[in-house]
PDB file of all heavy atoms in Angstrom:
ATOM      1  N   ALA A  27      -5.925 -27.133 -67.638  1.00 80.00           N
ATOM      2  CA  ALA A  27      -6.277 -27.979 -66.485  1.00 80.00           C
ATOM      3  C   ALA A  27      -5.061 -28.352 -65.673  1.00 80.00           C
ATOM      4  O   ALA A  27      -5.079 -28.342 -64.439  1.00 80.00           O
ATOM      5  CB  ALA A  27      -6.995 -29.238 -66.962  1.00 80.00           C
ATOM      6  N   ALA A  28      -3.954 -28.673 -66.368  1.00 81.00           N
ATOM      7  CA  ALA A  28      -2.712 -29.012 -65.665  1.00 81.00           C
ATOM      8  C   ALA A  28      -2.184 -27.812 -64.870  1.00 81.00           C
ATOM      9  O   ALA A  28      -1.772 -27.948 -63.713  1.00 81.00           O
ATOM     10  CB  ALA A  28      -1.660 -29.494 -66.653  1.00 81.00           C
ATOM     11  N   ALA A  29      -2.266 -26.634 -65.484  1.00 82.00           N
ATOM     12  CA  ALA A  29      -1.822 -25.430 -64.770  1.00 82.00           C
ATOM     13  C   ALA A  29      -2.714 -25.144 -63.569  1.00 82.00           C
ATOM     14  O   ALA A  29      -2.237 -24.759 -62.506  1.00 82.00           O
ATOM     15  CB  ALA A  29      -1.845 -24.238 -65.731  1.00 82.00           C
ATOM     16  N   ALA A  30      -4.034 -25.366 -63.732  1.00 81.00           N
ATOM     17  CA  ALA A  30      -4.952 -25.131 -62.604  1.00 81.00           C
ATOM     18  C   ALA A  30      -4.652 -26.064 -61.447  1.00 81.00           C
ATOM     19  O   ALA A  30      -4.729 -25.669 -60.276  1.00 81.00           O
ATOM     20  CB  ALA A  30      -6.404 -25.311 -63.090  1.00 81.00           C
ATOM     21  N   ARG A  31      -4.293 -27.321 -61.747  1.00 82.00           N
ATOM     22  CA  ARG A  31      -3.946 -28.268 -60.668  1.00 82.00           C
ATOM     23  C   ARG A  31      -2.726 -27.795 -59.915  1.00 82.00           C
ATOM     24  O   ARG A  31      -2.657 -27.843 -58.691  1.00 82.00           O
ATOM     25  CB  ARG A  31      -3.734 -29.650 -61.233  1.00 82.00           C
ATOM     26  CG  ARG A  31      -4.999 -30.416 -61.572  1.00 82.00           C
ATOM     27  CD  ARG A  31      -4.725 -31.885 -61.763  1.00 82.00           C
ATOM     28  NE  ARG A  31      -3.801 -32.124 -62.893  1.00 82.00           N
ATOM     29  CZ  ARG A  31      -4.233 -32.293 -64.151  1.00 82.00           C
ATOM     30  NH1 ARG A  31      -5.524 -32.227 -64.428  1.00 82.00           N
ATOM     31  NH2 ARG A  31      -3.364 -32.514 -65.107  1.00 82.00           N
ATOM     32  N   ARG A  32      -1.722 -27.307 -60.680  1.00 84.00           N
ATOM     33  CA  ARG A  32      -0.506 -26.832 -60.016  1.00 84.00           C
ATOM     34  C   ARG A  32      -0.784 -25.618 -59.145  1.00 84.00           C
ATOM     35  O   ARG A  32      -0.283 -25.502 -58.023  1.00 84.00           O
ATOM     36  CB  ARG A  32       0.550 -26.494 -61.068  1.00 84.00           C
ATOM     37  CG  ARG A  32       1.137 -27.729 -61.760  1.00 84.00           C
ATOM     38  CD  ARG A  32       2.404 -27.383 -62.524  1.00 84.00           C
ATOM     39  NE  ARG A  32       2.128 -26.417 -63.597  1.00 84.00           N
ATOM     40  CZ  ARG A  32       1.802 -26.779 -64.838  1.00 84.00           C
ATOM     41  NH1 ARG A  32       1.720 -28.068 -65.146  1.00 84.00           N
ATOM     42  NH2 ARG A  32       1.607 -25.864 -65.767  1.00 84.00           N
ATOM     43  N   TRP A  33      -1.603 -24.694 -59.665  1.00 84.00           N
ATOM     44  CA  TRP A  33      -1.917 -23.499 -58.887  1.00 84.00           C
ATOM     45  C   TRP A  33      -2.776 -23.868 -57.664  1.00 84.00           C
ATOM     46  O   TRP A  33      -2.608 -23.283 -56.581  1.00 84.00           O
ATOM     47  CB  TRP A  33      -2.642 -22.488 -59.752  1.00 84.00           C
ATOM     48  CG  TRP A  33      -1.715 -21.674 -60.598  1.00 84.00           C
ATOM     49  CD1 TRP A  33      -1.607 -21.698 -61.956  1.00 84.00           C
ATOM     50  CD2 TRP A  33      -0.731 -20.745 -60.143  1.00 84.00           C
ATOM     51  NE1 TRP A  33      -0.630 -20.852 -62.379  1.00 84.00           N
ATOM     52  CE2 TRP A  33      -0.071 -20.244 -61.287  1.00 84.00           C
ATOM     53  CE3 TRP A  33      -0.327 -20.299 -58.888  1.00 84.00           C
ATOM     54  CZ2 TRP A  33       0.956 -19.302 -61.203  1.00 84.00           C
ATOM     55  CZ3 TRP A  33       0.688 -19.372 -58.798  1.00 84.00           C
ATOM     56  CH2 TRP A  33       1.321 -18.889 -59.943  1.00 84.00           C
ATOM     57  N   ALA A  34      -3.682 -24.824 -57.800  1.00 81.00           N
ATOM     58  CA  ALA A  34      -4.512 -25.213 -56.673  1.00 81.00           C
ATOM     59  C   ALA A  34      -3.678 -25.778 -55.526  1.00 81.00           C
ATOM     60  O   ALA A  34      -3.990 -25.537 -54.358  1.00 81.00           O
ATOM     61  CB  ALA A  34      -5.535 -26.247 -57.111  1.00 81.00           C
ATOM     62  N   GLU A  35      -2.621 -26.500 -55.878  1.00 82.00           N
ATOM     63  CA  GLU A  35      -1.752 -27.056 -54.836  1.00 82.00           C
ATOM     64  C   GLU A  35      -1.038 -25.960 -54.047  1.00 82.00           C
ATOM     65  O   GLU A  35      -0.677 -26.164 -52.886  1.00 82.00           O
ATOM     66  CB  GLU A  35      -0.720 -27.978 -55.491  1.00 82.00           C
ATOM     67  CG  GLU A  35      -1.316 -29.246 -56.080  1.00 82.00           C
ATOM     68  CD  GLU A  35      -0.299 -30.046 -56.856  1.00 82.00           C
ATOM     69  OE1 GLU A  35       0.867 -29.572 -56.992  1.00 82.00           O
ATOM     70  OE2 GLU A  35      -0.645 -31.134 -57.350  1.00 82.00           O
ATOM     71  N   ARG A  36      -0.862 -24.780 -54.653  1.00 87.00           N
ATOM     72  CA  ARG A  36      -0.204 -23.667 -53.963  1.00 87.00           C
ATOM     73  C   ARG A  36      -1.202 -22.725 -53.301  1.00 87.00           C
ATOM     74  O   ARG A  36      -0.950 -22.187 -52.233  1.00 87.00           O
ATOM     75  CB  ARG A  36       0.668 -22.900 -54.932  1.00 87.00           C
ATOM     76  CG  ARG A  36       1.725 -23.746 -55.646  1.00 87.00           C
ATOM     77  CD  ARG A  36       2.503 -22.938 -56.653  1.00 87.00           C
ATOM     78  NE  ARG A  36       3.278 -21.883 -56.033  1.00 87.00           N
ATOM     79  CZ  ARG A  36       4.008 -21.001 -56.707  1.00 87.00           C
ATOM     80  NH1 ARG A  36       4.056 -21.068 -58.021  1.00 87.00           N
ATOM     81  NH2 ARG A  36       4.679 -20.056 -56.073  1.00 87.00           N
ATOM     82  N   ILE A  37      -2.334 -22.528 -53.963  1.00 87.00           N
ATOM     83  CA  ILE A  37      -3.308 -21.561 -53.459  1.00 87.00           C
ATOM     84  C   ILE A  37      -4.148 -22.111 -52.316  1.00 87.00           C
ATOM     85  O   ILE A  37      -4.458 -21.393 -51.349  1.00 87.00           O
ATOM     86  CB  ILE A  37      -4.223 -21.062 -54.611  1.00 87.00           C
ATOM     87  CG1 ILE A  37      -3.408 -20.186 -55.569  1.00 87.00           C
ATOM     88  CG2 ILE A  37      -5.420 -20.313 -54.088  1.00 87.00           C
ATOM     89  CD1 ILE A  37      -4.200 -19.711 -56.783  1.00 87.00           C
ATOM     90  N   ALA A  38      -4.530 -23.388 -52.394  1.00 84.00           N
ATOM     91  CA  ALA A  38      -5.377 -23.970 -51.349  1.00 84.00           C
ATOM     92  C   ALA A  38      -4.787 -23.842 -49.944  1.00 84.00           C
ATOM     93  O   ALA A  38      -5.470 -23.395 -49.017  1.00 84.00           O
ATOM     94  CB  ALA A  38      -5.697 -25.429 -51.684  1.00 84.00           C
ATOM     95  N   PRO A  39      -3.498 -24.187 -49.725  1.00 87.00           N
ATOM     96  CA  PRO A  39      -2.930 -24.006 -48.370  1.00 87.00           C
ATOM     97  C   PRO A  39      -2.914 -22.539 -47.956  1.00 87.00           C
ATOM     98  O   PRO A  39      -3.154 -22.234 -46.768  1.00 87.00           O
ATOM     99  CB  PRO A  39      -1.516 -24.567 -48.507  1.00 87.00           C
ATOM    100  CG  PRO A  39      -1.550 -25.467 -49.701  1.00 87.00           C
ATOM    101  CD  PRO A  39      -2.509 -24.847 -50.626  1.00 87.00           C
ATOM    102  N   ALA A  40      -2.638 -21.628 -48.901  1.00 91.00           N
ATOM    103  CA  ALA A  40      -2.594 -20.216 -48.583  1.00 91.00           C
ATOM    104  C   ALA A  40      -3.980 -19.716 -48.174  1.00 91.00           C
ATOM    105  O   ALA A  40      -4.143 -18.937 -47.233  1.00 91.00           O
ATOM    106  CB  ALA A  40      -2.054 -19.394 -49.759  1.00 91.00           C
ATOM    107  N   ARG A  41      -5.018 -20.179 -48.892  1.00 89.00           N
ATOM    108  CA  ARG A  41      -6.381 -19.770 -48.554  1.00 89.00           C
ATOM    109  C   ARG A  41      -6.801 -20.345 -47.205  1.00 89.00           C
ATOM    110  O   ARG A  41      -7.456 -19.674 -46.419  1.00 89.00           O
ATOM    111  CB  ARG A  41      -7.317 -20.236 -49.654  1.00 89.00           C
ATOM    112  CG  ARG A  41      -8.762 -19.748 -49.455  1.00 89.00           C
ATOM    113  CD  ARG A  41      -9.644 -20.094 -50.623  1.00 89.00           C
ATOM    114  NE  ARG A  41      -9.353 -19.240 -51.787  1.00 89.00           N
ATOM    115  CZ  ARG A  41      -8.949 -19.680 -52.969  1.00 89.00           C
ATOM    116  NH1 ARG A  41      -8.801 -20.982 -53.159  1.00 89.00           N
ATOM    117  NH2 ARG A  41      -8.706 -18.854 -53.957  1.00 89.00           N
ATOM    118  N   ALA A  42      -6.427 -21.586 -46.923  1.00 88.00           N
ATOM    119  CA  ALA A  42      -6.743 -22.210 -45.634  1.00 88.00           C
ATOM    120  C   ALA A  42      -6.062 -21.486 -44.492  1.00 88.00           C
ATOM    121  O   ALA A  42      -6.629 -21.288 -43.409  1.00 88.00           O
ATOM    122  CB  ALA A  42      -6.357 -23.683 -45.643  1.00 88.00           C
ATOM    123  N   ASP A  43      -4.790 -21.068 -44.723  1.00 91.00           N
ATOM    124  CA  ASP A  43      -4.055 -20.337 -43.688  1.00 91.00           C
ATOM    125  C   ASP A  43      -4.737 -19.018 -43.382  1.00 91.00           C
ATOM    126  O   ASP A  43      -4.902 -18.635 -42.202  1.00 91.00           O
ATOM    127  CB  ASP A  43      -2.614 -20.103 -44.161  1.00 91.00           C
ATOM    128  CG  ASP A  43      -1.806 -19.351 -43.135  1.00 91.00           C
ATOM    129  OD1 ASP A  43      -1.801 -19.746 -41.956  1.00 91.00           O
ATOM    130  OD2 ASP A  43      -1.172 -18.329 -43.519  1.00 91.00           O
ATOM    131  N   LEU A  44      -5.162 -18.294 -44.427  1.00 93.00           N
ATOM    132  CA  LEU A  44      -5.851 -17.018 -44.212  1.00 93.00           C
ATOM    133  C   LEU A  44      -7.169 -17.239 -43.480  1.00 93.00           C
ATOM    134  O   LEU A  44      -7.506 -16.470 -42.548  1.00 93.00           O
ATOM    135  CB  LEU A  44      -6.092 -16.336 -45.544  1.00 93.00           C
ATOM    136  CG  LEU A  44      -6.908 -15.019 -45.491  1.00 93.00           C
ATOM    137  CD1 LEU A  44      -6.165 -13.990 -44.638  1.00 93.00           C
ATOM    138  CD2 LEU A  44      -7.159 -14.477 -46.890  1.00 93.00           C
ATOM    139  N   ALA A  45      -7.931 -18.267 -43.873  1.00 92.00           N
ATOM    140  CA  ALA A  45      -9.219 -18.540 -43.207  1.00 92.00           C
ATOM    141  C   ALA A  45      -9.004 -18.846 -41.707  1.00 92.00           C
ATOM    142  O   ALA A  45      -9.757 -18.379 -40.863  1.00 92.00           O
ATOM    143  CB  ALA A  45      -9.922 -19.700 -43.881  1.00 92.00           C
ATOM    144  N   ALA A  46      -7.986 -19.616 -41.405  1.00 91.00           N
ATOM    145  CA  ALA A  46      -7.706 -19.951 -40.009  1.00 91.00           C
ATOM    146  C   ALA A  46      -7.330 -18.716 -39.212  1.00 91.00           C
ATOM    147  O   ALA A  46      -7.777 -18.543 -38.049  1.00 91.00           O
ATOM    148  CB  ALA A  46      -6.583 -20.985 -39.936  1.00 91.00           C
ATOM    149  N   ARG A  47      -6.512 -17.833 -39.816  1.00 92.00           N
ATOM    150  CA  ARG A  47      -6.107 -16.620 -39.095  1.00 92.00           C
ATOM    151  C   ARG A  47      -7.290 -15.663 -38.892  1.00 92.00           C
ATOM    152  O   ARG A  47      -7.416 -15.021 -37.831  1.00 92.00           O
ATOM    153  CB  ARG A  47      -4.975 -15.919 -39.847  1.00 92.00           C
ATOM    154  CG  ARG A  47      -3.681 -16.734 -39.829  1.00 92.00           C
ATOM    155  CD  ARG A  47      -2.544 -15.979 -40.508  1.00 92.00           C
ATOM    156  NE  ARG A  47      -1.334 -16.801 -40.570  1.00 92.00           N
ATOM    157  CZ  ARG A  47      -0.460 -16.949 -39.562  1.00 92.00           C
ATOM    158  NH1 ARG A  47      -0.702 -16.312 -38.416  1.00 92.00           N
ATOM    159  NH2 ARG A  47       0.603 -17.716 -39.667  1.00 92.00           N
ATOM    160  N   VAL A  48      -8.177 -15.567 -39.877  1.00 92.00           N
ATOM    161  CA  VAL A  48      -9.372 -14.735 -39.723  1.00 92.00           C
ATOM    162  C   VAL A  48     -10.275 -15.303 -38.631  1.00 92.00           C
ATOM    163  O   VAL A  48     -10.834 -14.556 -37.824  1.00 92.00           O
ATOM    164  CB  VAL A  48     -10.119 -14.610 -41.069  1.00 92.00           C
ATOM    165  CG1 VAL A  48     -11.478 -13.933 -40.878  1.00 92.00           C
ATOM    166  CG2 VAL A  48      -9.296 -13.815 -42.060  1.00 92.00           C
ATOM    167  N   ALA A  49     -10.442 -16.626 -38.620  1.00 89.00           N
ATOM    168  CA  ALA A  49     -11.259 -17.240 -37.566  1.00 89.00           C
ATOM    169  C   ALA A  49     -10.651 -16.986 -36.183  1.00 89.00           C
ATOM    170  O   ALA A  49     -11.382 -16.706 -35.236  1.00 89.00           O
ATOM    171  CB  ALA A  49     -11.362 -18.739 -37.829  1.00 89.00           C
ATOM    172  N   ASP A  50      -9.326 -17.021 -36.075  1.00 88.00           N
ATOM    173  CA  ASP A  50      -8.689 -16.733 -34.809  1.00 88.00           C
ATOM    174  C   ASP A  50      -8.976 -15.286 -34.358  1.00 88.00           C
ATOM    175  O   ASP A  50      -9.199 -15.024 -33.191  1.00 88.00           O
ATOM    176  CB  ASP A  50      -7.174 -16.959 -34.889  1.00 88.00           C
ATOM    177  CG  ASP A  50      -6.832 -18.420 -34.965  1.00 88.00           C
ATOM    178  OD1 ASP A  50      -7.686 -19.246 -34.589  1.00 88.00           O
ATOM    179  OD2 ASP A  50      -5.681 -18.757 -35.385  1.00 88.00           O
ATOM    180  N   LEU A  51      -8.950 -14.362 -35.321  1.00 88.00           N
ATOM    181  CA  LEU A  51      -9.223 -12.970 -35.011  1.00 88.00           C
ATOM    182  C   LEU A  51     -10.651 -12.795 -34.531  1.00 88.00           C
ATOM    183  O   LEU A  51     -10.930 -12.073 -33.565  1.00 88.00           O
ATOM    184  CB  LEU A  51      -8.975 -12.104 -36.242  1.00 88.00           C
ATOM    185  CG  LEU A  51      -7.523 -11.781 -36.582  1.00 88.00           C
ATOM    186  CD1 LEU A  51      -7.464 -11.009 -37.908  1.00 88.00           C
ATOM    187  CD2 LEU A  51      -6.903 -10.937 -35.478  1.00 88.00           C
ATOM    188  N   VAL A  52     -11.587 -13.456 -35.222  1.00 83.00           N
ATOM    189  CA  VAL A  52     -13.008 -13.267 -34.874  1.00 83.00           C
ATOM    190  C   VAL A  52     -13.347 -13.927 -33.543  1.00 83.00           C
ATOM    191  O   VAL A  52     -13.952 -13.303 -32.659  1.00 83.00           O
ATOM    192  CB  VAL A  52     -13.903 -13.847 -35.988  1.00 83.00           C
ATOM    193  CG1 VAL A  52     -15.366 -13.819 -35.585  1.00 83.00           C
ATOM    194  CG2 VAL A  52     -13.705 -13.062 -37.289  1.00 83.00           C
ATOM    195  N   HIS A  53     -12.935 -15.183 -33.377  1.00 79.00           N
ATOM    196  CA  HIS A  53     -13.348 -15.937 -32.179  1.00 79.00           C
ATOM    197  C   HIS A  53     -12.396 -15.716 -30.988  1.00 79.00           C
ATOM    198  O   HIS A  53     -12.812 -15.959 -29.856  1.00 79.00           O
ATOM    199  CB  HIS A  53     -13.413 -17.435 -32.507  1.00 79.00           C
ATOM    200  CG  HIS A  53     -14.467 -17.772 -33.496  1.00 79.00           C
ATOM    201  ND1 HIS A  53     -15.822 -17.728 -33.226  1.00 79.00           N
ATOM    202  CD2 HIS A  53     -14.380 -18.153 -34.799  1.00 79.00           C
ATOM    203  CE1 HIS A  53     -16.513 -18.064 -34.284  1.00 79.00           C
ATOM    204  NE2 HIS A  53     -15.668 -18.317 -35.262  1.00 79.00           N
ATOM    205  N   GLY A  54     -11.184 -15.263 -31.268  1.00 83.00           N
ATOM    206  CA  GLY A  54     -10.238 -15.091 -30.155  1.00 83.00           C
ATOM    207  C   GLY A  54      -9.909 -13.649 -29.893  1.00 83.00           C
ATOM    208  O   GLY A  54      -8.884 -13.360 -29.279  1.00 83.00           O
TER     209      GLY A  54
END
């Protein structure tokens, strides 16, 4: 669980960045 929390802190921003860039590609 401790390891998952640490990884979530790193993966969540990366996933949000990818989602935002994909949305820019689709809508823009």
Side-chain angles (χ1 to χ4, degrees):
R31 282 195 299 271
R32 289 195 296 270
W33 279 112
E35 292 173 357
R36 303 177 64 183
I37 289 177
R41 184 174 287 120
D43 180 51
L44 176 61
R47 292 184 183 278
V48 170
D50 287 342
L51 283 174
V52 173
H53 296 289

